Amino acid sequence: MMATTRISRRTVLTALAGAGTAALVGCDPVRRPNQARAVTIPDALLVEVDDGLGVLRGAGRQTIPCSLATADGRAIYATAPEGADTAFWRIDTATGGTSTRVKLPGRWVPQAVSASGTTVALTSNEVNATKGRPEGRDVTPVLIADVTGVQHRLELRGNFVPETFTGDLAGLFVLEWLPATAPDRYRVRVVDLATRTPGPLYTRTKTPVPPGAEEEMRGDGRQAVLAPDSTTLYTLYTHQPDHQHTRNLVSGRPGNVHAFVHTLSVNERWAYCIDLPHPFGQAAASGHAMTISPDGGRLFVADVTSGTVAEIDTEELTVRRTAPQSRGAGTAHAAADTDRLFIGAGTVVRAMDLTRLGRTADWRVREPVSGLVLSHDGRRLYVGQNDGVSWHDPGTGTELGRVAVPGLVGVHGLAGQA
């Protein structure tokens, strides 16, 4: 277990936690539960509850099933059945205002949103790039829509899961699962929306990936984080038995890694994998967490089971350094500002000094952590727990407040600012 320093009894994922949060999906109409006692929360938060995506704002609570948040937390896209069709609309998380509802033909749920927050890919059933494999199918229907209505309707031959859009909105990145009817592995591809044709990505040198050299992955997509400038999507993968990167397949050199960060340039359509050293990927995927610095220059990956933290240079796409920590247990969560890295697992939150990547303090919270989110000014660290969210002084761990959130699954990020 992580060593702890007890403060007092008064003494919080990620997509998308950190500066770029992966989009949230939840699923039936908007409702606002009654509260026995109103408690004001200092910052608006995006949370996941048992029956959908939620927004905590002041003393108010809002739950929106069948919904998807933008990476910056400024908007949520929602759907609801409307006869045989689907109503689709956008919610401003700062004000609660909504767009005019448009009707989509058939039944759809939001699956992926563009980095710009303007365009959504919807599928006929809920799937997710980091939550297991889809059921087998020969054809995948995908609807591309914005607040004005349908922009494209695709019938992709094969088994596909939308992940994100290209920066110019002309392409849709997808995971193609193979074989389509009994999937056990997947590869990342891009669908040209004009031709409705999926094809390979480019290498980091911006050359087309040769036939037969596309990476096929069998492991677990643990977490996705969008860079603060919205140009790069980082996805943490673990448990990759006998995995071969494109660079290994092209060069003919053997390669076998257990964990890596898949780096996707949404503007230039290239992908590159940053290998994580042993022991990353040896233990359960849930014990790993990833977050990014506010300036986007450093990406941090933690494995609480082994007690290892890695810092990645996002310009060079290399692991700059690793640091050992005392081991922990449970599902891992992480958040960072310019000077500190916070890691939560079980009932322990660890604060680390980024100057030397060393531990500065551990403190306990009441219940197992289900998400860490820093306020914009860095003065509050929000900690998701069982049926509640607490906020703490990041320097001491002192609990500053707490609100009850029945059915809380996780705390994922800050909602948009007014």
Side-chain angles (χ1 to χ4, degrees):
M1 295 292 291
M2 291 181 179
T4 62
T5 301
R6 294 186 180 274
I7 307 298
S8 75
R9 290 186 63 84
R10 297 188 303 136
T11 65
V12 265
L13 127 118
T14 172
L16 267 173
T21 317
L24 315 174
V25 179
C27 257
D28 351 50
V30 174
R31 65 178 179 84
R32 293 177 174 82
N34 294 325
Q35 299 294 310
R37 181 171 63 91
V39 178
T40 299
I41 191 166
D43 302 276
L45 293 181
L46 288 172
V47 300
E48 183 181 355
V49 292
D50 286 338
D51 51 357
L53 182 61
V55 179
L56 311 181
R57 185 189 305 105
R61 307 289 184 271
Q62 186 178 25
T63 302
I64 311 159
C66 281
S67 57
L68 175 73
T70 59
D72 61 11
R74 293 180 180 274
I76 293 172
Y77 287 92
T79 58
E82 190 171 284
D85 298 318
T86 299
F88 173 71
W89 69 101
R90 184 181 191 271
I91 301 162
D92 185 312
T93 59
T95 66
T98 64
S99 67
T100 301
R101 296 192 180 200
V102 297
K103 183 182 292 187
L104 307 179
R107 290 293 177 84
W108 303 93
V109 293
Q111 173 61 40
V113 63
S114 65
S116 62
T118 60
T119 307
V120 178
L122 302 99
T123 53
S124 55
N125 61 316
E126 185 178 339
V127 288
N128 192 283
T130 59
K131 291 185 178 179
R133 69 187 62 180
E135 295 182 355
R137 58 189 175 198
D138 290 317
V139 177
T140 303
V142 179
L143 205 67
I144 309 299
D146 59 22
V147 293
T148 67
V150 177
Q151 302 302 308
H152 302 275
R153 180 161 187 160
L154 312 176
E155 295 288 334
L156 302 176
R157 297 197 62 81
N159 196 335
F160 295 88
V161 176
E163 188 171 26
T164 190
F165 288 83
T166 59
D168 59 7
L169 302 180
L172 175 68
F173 292 105
V174 295
L175 300 186
E176 181 184 12
W177 283 82
L178 303 168
T181 56
D184 63 6
R185 63 191 187 278
Y186 49 93
R187 59 183 178 180
V188 181
R189 313 201 89 198
V190 61
V191 178
D192 185 295
L193 296 181
T195 65
R196 296 174 168 78
T197 304
L201 306 182
Y202 292 102
T203 66
R204 191 182 176 191
T205 59
K206 303 176 186 178
T207 58
V209 175
E214 291 182 78
E215 296 179 38
E216 294 183 359
M217 296 169 277
R218 297 176 183 271
D220 301 318
R222 165 63 180 139
Q223 183 184 0
V225 170
L226 185 67
D229 65 3
S230 301
T231 63
T232 309
L233 180 68
Y234 303 97
T235 306
L236 173 63
Y237 288 96
T238 65
H239 296 292
Q240 304 292 320
D242 302 317
H243 178 76
Q244 296 282 332
H245 294 314
T246 291
R247 58 181 179 269
N248 302 128
L249 295 169
V250 171
S251 66
R253 294 190 299 270
N256 185 14
V257 297
H258 290 278
F260 61 85
V261 176
H262 186 272
T263 305
L264 178 64
S265 171
V266 298
N267 290 341
E268 298 177 343
R269 304 190 182 195
W270 56 259
Y272 183 81
C273 292
I274 307 166
D275 289 344
L276 293 168
H278 178 84
F280 286 97
Q282 295 287 336
S286 61
H288 295 70
M290 181 171 63
T291 190
I292 196 167
S293 62
D295 65 1
R298 295 178 293 176
L299 190 70
F300 301 97
V301 182
D303 172 17
V304 298
T305 305
S306 69
T308 309
V309 176
E311 178 184 320
I312 294 171
D313 185 315
T314 59
E315 181 67 27
E316 298 295 330
L317 299 185
T318 57
V319 176
R320 176 184 293 169
R321 55 179 173 166
T322 61
Q325 299 288 316
S326 58
R327 298 180 180 183
T331 300
H333 302 273
D337 61 15
T338 56
D339 303 311
R340 301 164 297 184
L341 171 65
F342 299 92
I343 301 169
T347 57
V348 176
V349 176
R350 171 166 299 155
M352 298 179 63
D353 175 9
L354 291 182
T355 302
R356 54 189 178 85
L357 208 60
R359 186 179 69 204
T360 57
D362 288 358
W363 65 80
R364 285 196 179 274
V365 292
R366 305 183 196 181
E367 297 160 333
V369 175
S370 61
L372 297 177
V373 174
L374 275 162
S375 62
H376 283 300
D377 60 12
R379 296 181 179 179
R380 293 168 295 281
L381 178 67
Y382 290 94
V383 183
Q385 297 172 66
N386 293 338
D387 294 328
V389 176
S390 58
W391 53 99
H392 301 251
D393 181 320
T396 65
T398 301
E399 184 177 297
L400 304 175
R402 185 180 182 93
V403 294
V405 186
L408 181 73
V409 174
V411 177
H412 293 283
L414 297 171
Q417 302 296 299

